[in-house]
Amino acid sequence: MRHLIAPSILAADFANLQHDIEMINSSEADWFHVDVMDGVFVPNISFGFPVMEAVKKHATKPLDVHLMIVNPDQYIERFAQAGAAIITVHYEACPHLHRTIQLIHQSGCKAGVALNPHTPVSVLKDILADLDLVLIMSVNPGFGGQKFIPRTLAKVDELKAMAMKVKPELSIEVDGGVGMQNIDLLIDAGANVFVAGNAVFAAASPAEMISDMKNVDKGSIRL
Ligand code: DX5
Ligand code: ZN
């Protein structure tokens, strides 16, 4: 399967969100990446249900919701109602991760687990078969526009090998500092979903950047 591009609306113009949503709708992007931050799990606050519902009203592609919040269990149902297709929770925020994954599936959404840069992929061994997606953070969560941590490549490689044994169809998503400078290396390592905030929204033409990232493995466009 071709890799997927998930532009992060965290980097969009919040005063003109509909414009940026329509750009993503008509682009080659696959998902909307929706970053929810609570100011507790991460040192930043982004947005909550009202903004997400406004995005959902205009978006024609699935909402990939990345919860950087403590106690996600109490909000899973509301995020599903607000239009999430995929809900990803942080391993570091879930003492009863198996229960949380069950809740996400019961809500009708696909379930993902995100790992901070310091968390080894080996902690997922006994839950991997129950997951639809693993999100490898390639920066410390909380802010867009940070520098990609190179160690991520080895983590993706290790996770891909683990997944091949128990869940070959697992989606492996990379989030933070992803762009034309590293997407081909990440594809080679085994990742297949790429979040892009700054790379897309700081580009002269966001839609062209999405297209370049989407078609990078066709060999026609390289930096
Ligand atoms: C960071 C968020 C990311 C962020 C990515 O905590 O999870 O999704 O928006 O932004 P860039 O692509 O600019 O690093
Ligand atoms: Zn994210």
Side-chain angles (χ1 to χ4, degrees), residues 33-56:
H33 187 76
V34 178
D35 286 305
V36 179
M37 304 177 184
D38 66 356
V40 180
F41 180 67
V42 287
N44 197 8
I45 298 174
S46 57
F47 50 77
F49 300 113
V51 170
M52 194 181 140
E53 282 159 1
V55 172
K56 175 66 185 168

Side-chain angles (χ1 to χ4, degrees), residues 119-188:
T119 305
V121 296
S122 56
V123 298
L124 297 178
K125 179 172 171 285
D126 292 314
I127 190 105
L128 206 53
D130 300 306
L131 304 180
D132 301 295
L133 178 146
V134 173
L135 184 159
I136 304 283
M137 284 305 306
S138 38
V139 299
N140 285 295
F143 303 92
Q146 301 181 80
K147 206 168 157 298
F148 179 83
I149 298 171
R151 167 79 193 146
T152 307
L153 286 164
K155 289 179 76 172
V156 170
D157 195 65
E158 191 183 343
L159 176 62
K160 181 70 184 171
M162 276 169 72
M164 285 314 284
K165 291 188 199 145
V166 293
K167 188 92 181 192
E169 70 275 29
L170 181 84
S171 291
I172 300 179
E173 182 170 30
V174 182
D175 185 4
V178 175
M180 288 300 281
Q181 69 286 358
N182 49 27
I183 189 169
D184 51 352
L185 296 172
L186 289 163
I187 291 170
D188 288 348

